[in-house]
Coordinates of all heavy atoms in Angstrom, one line a residue:
M1 N -6.6 -0.5 10.8 CA -5.2 -0.2 10.7 C -4.4 -1.4 10.5 O -3.3 -1.3 9.9 CB -4.9 0.4 12.1 CG -3.6 1.2 12.1 SD -3.8 2.6 11.0 CE -2.3 3.4 11.3
K2 N -4.9 -2.6 10.9 CA -4.2 -3.8 10.6 C -4.0 -4.1 9.1 O -3.0 -4.6 8.6 CB -4.8 -5.0 11.2 CG -4.7 -5.1 12.7 CD -5.1 -6.4 13.3 CE -6.6 -6.4 13.4 NZ -7.1 -7.6 14.1
I3 N -5.1 -3.7 8.3 CA -5.1 -3.9 6.9 C -3.9 -3.1 6.2 O -3.2 -3.7 5.3 CB -6.4 -3.5 6.3 CG1 -7.5 -4.4 6.7 CG2 -6.4 -3.5 4.7 CD1 -8.9 -3.9 6.4
I4 N -3.6 -1.9 6.7 CA -2.5 -1.1 6.1 C -1.2 -1.8 6.4 O -0.4 -1.9 5.4 CB -2.5 0.3 6.7 CG1 -3.8 1.1 6.2 CG2 -1.3 1.1 6.3 CD1 -3.9 2.4 6.9
W5 N -1.0 -2.2 7.7 CA 0.3 -2.9 7.9 C 0.4 -4.2 7.3 O 1.6 -4.6 6.8 CB 0.5 -3.0 9.5 CG 0.6 -1.7 10.1 CD1 -0.2 -1.1 10.9 CD2 1.6 -0.7 9.9 NE1 0.2 0.1 11.3 CE2 1.4 0.4 10.7 CE3 2.8 -0.8 9.1 CZ2 2.2 1.5 10.7 CZ3 3.6 0.4 9.1 CH2 3.3 1.5 9.9
I6 N -0.6 -5.0 7.1 CA -0.6 -6.3 6.4 C -0.2 -6.0 4.9 O 0.6 -6.7 4.3 CB -1.8 -7.0 6.5 CG1 -2.0 -7.5 7.9 CG2 -1.9 -8.2 5.5 CD1 -3.3 -8.1 8.2
S7 N -0.8 -4.9 4.3 CA -0.5 -4.6 2.9 C 0.9 -4.2 2.8 O 1.6 -4.6 1.8 CB -1.5 -3.5 2.5 OG -2.8 -3.8 2.5
V8 N 1.4 -3.3 3.7 CA 2.8 -2.9 3.6 C 3.7 -4.1 3.8 O 4.8 -4.2 3.1 CB 3.1 -1.8 4.7 CG1 4.6 -1.5 4.8 CG2 2.3 -0.6 4.4
L9 N 3.4 -5.0 4.7 CA 4.2 -6.2 4.9 C 4.3 -7.1 3.6 O 5.3 -7.6 3.3 CB 3.7 -7.0 6.1 CG 4.4 -8.3 6.4 CD1 5.9 -8.0 6.9 CD2 3.7 -9.1 7.4
L10 N 3.1 -7.3 3.0 CA 3.1 -8.1 1.8 C 3.9 -7.4 0.6 O 4.6 -8.1 0.0 CB 1.6 -8.3 1.3 CG 0.8 -9.3 2.1 CD1 -0.6 -9.3 1.7 CD2 1.4 -10.7 1.9
L11 N 3.7 -6.1 0.5 CA 4.5 -5.4 -0.5 C 6.0 -5.5 -0.2 O 6.8 -5.8 -1.1 CB 4.1 -4.0 -0.5 CG 4.9 -3.0 -1.5 CD1 4.6 -3.5 -2.9 CD2 4.6 -1.6 -1.3
G12 N 6.4 -5.4 1.0 CA 7.8 -5.5 1.4 C 8.3 -6.9 1.1 O 9.5 -7.2 0.6
C13 N 7.6 -8.0 1.5 CA 8.0 -9.3 1.2 C 8.1 -9.6 -0.3 O 9.0 -10.3 -0.7 CB 7.0 -10.3 1.8 SG 7.0 -10.3 3.6
L14 N 7.2 -9.1 -1.1 CA 7.2 -9.4 -2.5 C 8.4 -8.6 -3.2 O 9.1 -9.2 -4.0 CB 5.9 -8.9 -3.2 CG 4.8 -9.9 -2.9 CD1 3.5 -9.2 -3.5 CD2 4.9 -11.2 -3.5
I15 N 8.7 -7.4 -2.7 CA 9.8 -6.7 -3.3 C 11.1 -7.4 -2.8 O 12.1 -7.5 -3.6 CB 9.8 -5.2 -2.9 CG1 8.7 -4.5 -3.7 CG2 11.1 -4.5 -3.2 CD1 8.4 -3.1 -3.4
G16 N 11.2 -7.8 -1.5 CA 12.3 -8.5 -1.0 C 12.6 -9.8 -1.8 O 13.7 -10.1 -2.1
F17 N 11.5 -10.6 -2.1 CA 11.7 -11.8 -2.9 C 12.2 -11.4 -4.3 O 13.0 -12.1 -4.8 CB 10.3 -12.5 -3.0 CG 10.3 -13.7 -3.9 CD1 10.9 -14.9 -3.4 CD2 9.7 -13.7 -5.1 CE1 11.0 -16.0 -4.1 CE2 9.7 -14.8 -5.9 CZ 10.3 -16.0 -5.4
S18 N 11.7 -10.4 -4.9 CA 12.1 -9.9 -6.2 C 13.6 -9.6 -6.2 O 14.3 -10.0 -7.1 CB 11.3 -8.8 -6.7 OG 11.8 -8.2 -7.9
I19 N 14.0 -8.9 -5.2 CA 15.4 -8.5 -5.1 C 16.3 -9.7 -4.9 O 17.4 -9.8 -5.5 CB 15.6 -7.5 -4.0 CG1 15.0 -6.1 -4.3 CG2 17.1 -7.3 -3.6 CD1 14.9 -5.1 -3.2
G20 N 15.8 -10.6 -4.1 CA 16.5 -11.9 -3.8 C 16.7 -12.7 -5.2 O 17.8 -13.3 -5.4
V21 N 15.7 -12.8 -6.0 CA 15.8 -13.5 -7.2 C 16.8 -12.8 -8.2 O 17.6 -13.5 -8.8 CB 14.4 -13.6 -7.9 CG1 14.5 -14.1 -9.3 CG2 13.5 -14.5 -7.1
Y22 N 16.7 -11.4 -8.2 CA 17.7 -10.7 -9.0 C 19.1 -11.0 -8.5 O 20.0 -11.2 -9.3 CB 17.4 -9.2 -9.0 CG 16.3 -8.8 -10.0 CD1 15.2 -8.2 -9.6 CD2 16.5 -9.1 -11.4 CE1 14.2 -7.8 -10.4 CE2 15.5 -8.7 -12.2 CZ 14.3 -8.1 -11.8 OH 13.4 -7.7 -12.7
M23 N 19.3 -11.0 -7.2 CA 20.7 -11.3 -6.7 C 21.1 -12.6 -7.0 O 22.3 -12.9 -7.2 CB 20.7 -10.9 -5.2 CG 20.6 -9.5 -5.0 SD 20.6 -9.0 -3.2 CE 22.3 -9.3 -2.9
M24 N 20.2 -13.6 -6.9 CA 20.6 -15.0 -7.3 C 21.0 -15.1 -8.8 O 21.7 -16.1 -9.2 CB 19.5 -16.0 -7.0 CG 19.4 -16.3 -5.5 SD 18.3 -17.6 -5.1 CE 16.7 -17.0 -5.5
Q25 N 20.4 -14.3 -9.6 CA 20.8 -14.2 -11.0 C 22.2 -13.5 -11.3 O 22.6 -13.5 -12.4 CB 19.7 -13.5 -11.9 CG 18.5 -14.3 -11.9 CD 17.4 -13.6 -12.7 OE1 17.5 -12.4 -13.0 NE2 16.3 -14.2 -13.0
G26 N 22.8 -13.0 -10.2 CA 24.1 -12.4 -10.4 C 24.1 -10.9 -10.4 O 25.2 -10.3 -10.6
F27 N 23.0 -10.2 -10.2 CA 23.0 -8.8 -10.2 C 23.6 -8.3 -8.8 O 23.4 -9.0 -7.8 CB 21.6 -8.2 -10.4 CG 21.1 -8.4 -11.8 CD1 20.2 -9.4 -12.1 CD2 21.4 -7.5 -12.8 CE1 19.7 -9.6 -13.4 CE2 20.9 -7.6 -14.0 CZ 20.1 -8.7 -14.3
S28 N 24.2 -7.1 -8.8 CA 24.5 -6.5 -7.6 C 23.3 -6.0 -6.8 O 22.2 -5.9 -7.4 CB 25.5 -5.3 -7.8 OG 24.8 -4.3 -8.5
F29 N 23.5 -5.7 -5.5 CA 22.3 -5.3 -4.7 C 21.7 -4.0 -5.2 O 20.5 -3.9 -5.3 CB 22.7 -5.2 -3.3 CG 21.6 -4.8 -2.4 CD1 20.6 -5.6 -2.0 CD2 21.5 -3.4 -1.9 CE1 19.5 -5.2 -1.2 CE2 20.5 -3.0 -1.1 CZ 19.5 -3.9 -0.8
S30 N 22.5 -3.1 -5.6 CA 22.0 -1.8 -6.0 C 21.2 -1.9 -7.4 O 20.2 -1.4 -7.6 CB 23.1 -0.8 -6.2 OG 24.0 -1.2 -7.2
M31 N 21.7 -2.8 -8.3 CA 21.0 -3.1 -9.5 C 19.7 -3.9 -9.2 O 18.7 -3.6 -9.9 CB 22.0 -3.8 -10.5 CG 21.4 -4.0 -11.9 SD 21.1 -2.3 -12.5 CE 21.4 -2.6 -14.2
A32 N 19.8 -4.8 -8.3 CA 18.6 -5.5 -8.0 C 17.5 -4.7 -7.4 O 16.3 -4.8 -7.7 CB 19.0 -6.7 -7.0
L33 N 18.0 -3.7 -6.5 CA 17.0 -2.8 -6.0 C 16.4 -1.9 -7.0 O 15.2 -1.6 -7.1 CB 17.7 -2.0 -4.9 CG 16.9 -1.1 -4.0 CD1 16.0 -2.0 -3.1 CD2 17.8 -0.2 -3.1
Q34 N 17.2 -1.4 -7.9 CA 16.7 -0.6 -9.1 C 15.8 -1.4 -9.9 O 14.7 -0.9 -10.3 CB 17.9 -0.1 -9.9 CG 17.5 0.8 -11.0 CD 18.7 1.2 -11.8 OE1 19.9 0.9 -11.5 NE2 18.5 2.1 -12.8
N35 N 16.0 -2.7 -10.2 CA 15.2 -3.5 -11.0 C 13.8 -3.8 -10.3 O 12.8 -3.9 -10.8 CB 15.8 -4.7 -11.4 CG 16.9 -4.6 -12.5 OD1 16.9 -3.6 -13.1 ND2 17.8 -5.6 -12.6
G36 N 13.9 -3.9 -8.9 CA 12.8 -4.2 -8.1 C 11.8 -3.1 -8.1 O 10.6 -3.3 -8.1
Y37 N 12.2 -1.9 -8.2 CA 11.3 -0.7 -8.2 C 11.1 -0.2 -9.6 O 10.3 0.8 -9.8 CB 11.9 0.4 -7.4 CG 11.8 0.1 -5.9 CD1 12.9 -0.2 -5.1 CD2 10.5 0.2 -5.2 CE1 12.8 -0.4 -3.8 CE2 10.5 -0.1 -3.9 CZ 11.6 -0.4 -3.2 OH 11.5 -0.7 -1.8
S38 N 11.7 -0.7 -10.6 CA 11.5 -0.1 -12.0 C 10.1 -0.4 -12.5 O 9.7 0.3 -13.5 CB 12.6 -0.8 -12.9 OG 12.3 -2.1 -13.1
S39 N 9.4 -1.4 -12.0 CA 8.1 -1.7 -12.5 C 7.1 -0.5 -12.3 O 6.2 -0.2 -13.0 CB 7.5 -2.9 -11.9 OG 7.4 -2.8 -10.5
F40 N 7.4 0.3 -11.2 CA 6.6 1.5 -10.9 C 7.0 2.6 -11.8 O 6.2 3.6 -12.1 CB 6.7 1.9 -9.5 CG 6.1 0.9 -8.6 CD1 7.0 0.1 -7.7 CD2 4.8 0.7 -8.4 CE1 6.4 -0.9 -6.9 CE2 4.3 -0.3 -7.6 CZ 5.1 -1.0 -6.9
R41 N 8.3 2.6 -12.4 CA 8.7 3.7 -13.2 C 8.3 3.6 -14.6 O 8.3 4.6 -15.3 CB 10.2 3.8 -13.1 CG 10.7 4.3 -11.8 CD 12.2 4.5 -11.8 NE 12.9 3.5 -12.7 CZ 14.1 3.1 -12.5 NH1 14.8 3.7 -11.5 NH2 14.6 2.2 -13.3
V42 N 8.0 2.5 -15.1 CA 7.7 2.3 -16.5 C 6.2 2.2 -16.8 O 5.7 1.9 -17.9 CB 8.3 1.0 -17.1 CG1 9.8 1.1 -17.0 CG2 7.9 -0.2 -16.4
M43 N 5.4 2.5 -15.8 CA 3.9 2.5 -16.0 C 3.5 3.7 -16.9 O 4.0 4.8 -16.8 CB 3.2 2.7 -14.6 CG 3.3 1.5 -13.8 SD 2.3 1.8 -12.3 CE 2.1 0.1 -11.7
E44 N 2.5 3.5 -17.6 CA 1.9 4.5 -18.5 C 0.9 5.3 -17.7 O 0.6 4.9 -16.5 CB 1.2 3.9 -19.7 CG 2.3 3.2 -20.6 CD 1.6 2.8 -22.0 OE1 0.5 3.2 -22.2 OE2 2.3 2.0 -22.6
F45 N 0.4 6.4 -18.2 CA -0.5 7.2 -17.5 C -1.7 6.5 -17.1 O -2.2 6.7 -15.9 CB -0.9 8.5 -18.4 CG -1.8 9.3 -17.8 CD1 -1.5 10.2 -16.7 CD2 -3.2 9.3 -18.1 CE1 -2.4 11.0 -16.1 CE2 -4.1 10.1 -17.5 CZ -3.7 11.0 -16.5
A46 N -2.3 5.7 -17.9 CA -3.6 5.0 -17.5 C -3.3 4.0 -16.4 O -4.1 3.9 -15.5 CB -4.1 4.2 -18.7
E47 N -2.2 3.3 -16.4 CA -1.8 2.4 -15.3 C -1.6 3.2 -14.0 O -2.1 2.8 -12.9 CB -0.6 1.6 -15.6 CG -0.8 0.7 -16.8 CD 0.4 0.0 -17.3 OE1 1.5 0.7 -17.2 OE2 0.4 -1.1 -17.7
L48 N -0.9 4.3 -14.1 CA -0.7 5.1 -12.9 C -2.0 5.7 -12.3 O -2.3 5.8 -11.1 CB 0.2 6.3 -13.2 CG 1.8 5.9 -13.4 CD1 2.5 7.1 -13.9 CD2 2.3 5.4 -12.1
F49 N -2.9 6.1 -13.3 CA -4.2 6.6 -12.9 C -5.0 5.5 -12.1 O -5.6 5.8 -11.1 CB -5.0 7.1 -14.1 CG -6.4 7.6 -13.8 CD1 -6.5 8.9 -13.2 CD2 -7.5 6.9 -13.9 CE1 -7.7 9.4 -12.9 CE2 -8.8 7.4 -13.6 CZ -8.8 8.6 -13.1
V50 N -5.0 4.3 -12.6 CA -5.7 3.3 -11.9 C -5.1 2.9 -10.6 O -5.7 2.7 -9.6 CB -5.8 2.0 -12.8 CG1 -6.2 0.8 -12.1 CG2 -6.6 2.2 -14.1
L51 N -3.7 2.9 -10.5 CA -3.0 2.6 -9.3 C -3.4 3.7 -8.3 O -3.7 3.3 -7.1 CB -1.5 2.6 -9.5 CG -0.6 2.5 -8.3 CD1 -0.8 1.1 -7.7 CD2 0.8 2.7 -8.6
F52 N -3.3 5.0 -8.6 CA -3.6 6.0 -7.6 C -5.0 6.1 -7.3 O -5.3 6.5 -6.1 CB -3.0 7.4 -8.1 CG -1.5 7.4 -8.0 CD1 -0.7 7.7 -9.1 CD2 -0.8 7.3 -6.8 CE1 0.6 7.7 -9.1 CE2 0.6 7.3 -6.7 CZ 1.3 7.6 -7.9
S53 N -5.9 5.8 -8.2 CA -7.3 5.7 -7.9 C -7.6 4.6 -6.8 O -8.4 4.8 -5.9 CB -8.1 5.4 -9.1 OG -8.0 6.5 -10.1
L54 N -7.0 3.5 -7.0 CA -7.2 2.4 -6.1 C -6.6 2.7 -4.7 O -7.2 2.5 -3.7 CB -6.6 1.1 -6.6 CG -7.4 0.5 -7.8 CD1 -6.6 -0.7 -8.3 CD2 -8.8 0.1 -7.4
L55 N -5.5 3.3 -4.7 CA -4.8 3.7 -3.5 C -5.7 4.8 -2.8 O -5.8 4.8 -1.5 CB -3.4 4.3 -3.7 CG -2.3 3.2 -4.0 CD1 -1.0 3.9 -4.4 CD2 -2.1 2.3 -2.8
F56 N -6.2 5.8 -3.5 CA -7.1 6.8 -2.9 C -8.3 6.1 -2.3 O -8.7 6.5 -1.2 CB -7.5 7.8 -4.0 CG -8.5 8.8 -3.5 CD1 -8.0 9.8 -2.6 CD2 -9.8 8.7 -3.8 CE1 -8.9 10.8 -2.1 CE2 -10.7 9.6 -3.3 CZ -10.2 10.7 -2.4
C57 N -8.9 5.2 -3.0 CA -10.1 4.5 -2.5 C -9.8 3.8 -1.2 O -10.6 3.8 -0.3 CB -10.7 3.6 -3.5 SG -11.5 4.4 -4.9
F58 N -8.6 3.1 -1.2 CA -8.2 2.4 0.0 C -7.9 3.3 1.2 O -8.5 3.0 2.3 CB -6.9 1.6 -0.4 CG -6.3 0.9 0.8 CD1 -7.0 -0.2 1.3 CD2 -5.2 1.3 1.4 CE1 -6.4 -0.9 2.4 CE2 -4.7 0.6 2.5 CZ -5.3 -0.5 3.0
V59 N -7.3 4.4 1.0 CA -7.1 5.3 2.1 C -8.4 6.0 2.5 O -8.6 6.2 3.7 CB -6.0 6.4 1.6 CG1 -5.9 7.5 2.6 CG2 -4.6 5.7 1.4
A60 N -9.2 6.4 1.6 CA -10.4 7.0 1.9 C -11.3 6.0 2.7 O -12.0 6.4 3.7 CB -11.2 7.4 0.6
E61 N -11.3 4.7 2.4 CA -12.1 3.8 3.2 C -11.5 3.7 4.6 O -12.3 3.5 5.6 CB -12.1 2.4 2.5 CG -12.9 1.4 3.2 CD -12.8 0.0 2.5 OE1 -12.2 -0.1 1.5 OE2 -13.5 -0.9 3.1
V62 N -10.2 3.6 4.7 CA -9.6 3.5 6.1 C -10.0 4.7 6.9 O -10.4 4.5 8.1 CB -8.1 3.3 5.9 CG1 -7.4 3.5 7.3 CG2 -7.7 2.0 5.3
F63 N -9.9 5.9 6.4 CA -10.3 7.1 7.1 C -11.8 7.1 7.4 O -12.1 7.5 8.5 CB -9.9 8.4 6.4 CG -8.4 8.7 6.5 CD1 -7.7 8.9 5.3 CD2 -7.8 8.9 7.7 CE1 -6.4 9.2 5.4 CE2 -6.5 9.2 7.8 CZ -5.8 9.3 6.7
Y64 N -12.6 6.7 6.5 CA -14.0 6.6 6.7 C -14.4 5.6 7.8 O -15.2 6.0 8.8 CB -14.8 6.2 5.5 CG -16.3 6.0 5.7 CD1 -17.1 7.1 5.9 CD2 -16.8 4.7 5.7 CE1 -18.5 6.9 6.0 CE2 -18.2 4.5 5.9 CZ -19.0 5.6 6.1 OH -20.3 5.4 6.3
R65 N -13.8 4.5 7.8 CA -14.0 3.5 8.9 C -13.5 4.0 10.2 O -14.2 3.8 11.3 CB -13.4 2.2 8.5 CG -14.1 1.4 7.4 CD -13.5 0.1 7.1 NE -14.1 -0.5 6.0 CZ -14.7 -1.7 6.1 NH1 -14.8 -2.3 7.2 NH2 -15.3 -2.2 5.1
S66 N -12.3 4.6 10.3 CA -11.9 5.1 11.5 C -12.7 6.2 12.1 O -13.0 6.3 13.3 CB -10.4 5.5 11.5 OG -10.3 6.7 10.6
F67 N -13.2 7.1 11.2 CA -14.1 8.2 11.6 C -15.4 7.6 12.1 O -16.0 8.1 13.1 CB -14.3 9.1 10.4 CG -15.2 10.3 10.8 CD1 -14.8 11.3 11.6 CD2 -16.5 10.4 10.3 CE1 -15.7 12.4 12.0 CE2 -17.4 11.4 10.6 CZ -17.0 12.4 11.4
K68 N -15.9 6.6 11.4 CA -17.2 6.0 11.8 C -17.1 5.3 13.1 O -18.0 5.5 14.0 CB -17.6 5.0 10.7 CG -18.9 4.3 10.9 CD -19.2 3.4 9.7 CE -20.5 2.7 9.9 NZ -20.7 1.7 8.9
V69 N -16.0 4.6 13.4 CA -15.8 4.0 14.7 C -15.6 5.0 15.8 O -16.2 4.9 16.9 CB -14.6 3.0 14.6 CG1 -14.2 2.6 16.0 CG2 -14.9 1.8 13.8
E70 N -14.9 6.1 15.5 CA -14.7 7.1 16.5 C -16.0 7.8 16.8 O -16.2 8.1 18.0 CB -13.6 8.1 16.0 CG -13.3 9.3 16.9 CD -12.4 10.2 16.3 OE1 -11.3 9.7 15.8 OE2 -12.6 11.4 16.3
K71 N -16.8 8.1 15.8 CA -18.1 8.7 16.0 C -19.0 7.8 16.8 O -19.7 8.3 17.7 CB -18.7 9.1 14.7 CG -19.9 10.0 14.8 CD -20.4 10.3 13.4 CE -21.7 11.2 13.5 NZ -22.2 11.6 12.1
H72 N -19.0 6.6 16.5 CA -19.8 5.6 17.2 C -19.4 5.5 18.7 O -20.3 5.4 19.5 CB -19.7 4.2 16.5 CG -20.5 3.1 17.2 ND1 -21.9 3.1 17.2 CD2 -20.1 2.1 17.9 CE1 -22.3 2.1 17.9 NE2 -21.3 1.4 18.3
N73 N -18.1 5.5 18.9 CA -17.6 5.4 20.3 C -17.9 6.6 21.1 O -18.3 6.6 22.2 CB -16.1 5.2 20.3 CG -15.7 3.7 19.9 OD1 -16.6 2.9 20.0 ND2 -14.5 3.5 19.6
S74 N -17.9 7.8 20.5 CA -18.2 9.1 21.2 C -19.7 9.1 21.5 O -20.1 9.6 22.5 CB -17.7 10.3 20.4 OG -18.4 10.4 19.2
A75 N -20.5 8.7 20.6 CA -22.0 8.6 20.8 C -22.3 7.6 21.9 O -23.2 7.8 22.7 CB -22.7 8.3 19.5
K76 N -21.6 6.5 21.9 CA -21.8 5.5 23.0 C -21.4 6.0 24.3 O -22.0 5.7 25.3 CB -21.0 4.3 22.6 CG -21.3 3.0 23.4 CD -20.4 1.9 22.8 CE -20.7 0.6 23.6 NZ -19.8 -0.5 23.1
D77 N -20.3 6.8 24.4 CA -19.8 7.4 25.6 C -20.8 8.4 26.2 O -21.0 8.6 27.4 CB -18.4 8.0 25.5 CG -17.4 7.0 25.2 OD1 -17.5 5.8 25.6 OD2 -16.3 7.3 24.8
K78 N -21.5 9.1 25.3 CA -22.4 10.1 25.8 C -23.7 9.5 26.3 O -24.3 10.1 27.2 CB -22.8 11.1 24.6 CG -21.7 12.0 24.2 CD -22.1 12.8 23.0 CE -21.0 13.7 22.5 NZ -21.3 14.5 21.4
T79 N -24.0 8.4 25.9 CA -25.3 7.7 26.4 C -25.1 7.0 27.7 O -26.0 6.8 28.4 CB -25.9 6.7 25.4 OG1 -24.9 5.7 25.1 CG2 -26.3 7.4 24.1
T80 N -23.9 6.6 28.0 CA -23.6 5.9 29.3 C -23.1 6.8 30.4 O -22.7 7.9 30.2 CB -22.6 4.7 29.1 OG1 -21.4 5.3 28.5 CG2 -23.2 3.6 28.3

């Protein structure tokens, strides 16, 4: 679960840095926010496919690990 929050924190910091750079260049906050998220809007289909495939693999691994730990803990509780 820490990996998810660290990833979200890194994404937030990078987008915040990007917005800060745009604002130092003289853009308004709303325009800087729009430019910060525009990189996700201009992706082509192949790029979006790769992005969502990686996100799916990441989420699937997190659920698999949490299920594995939960299953291991329940088996451990039954033996003691």
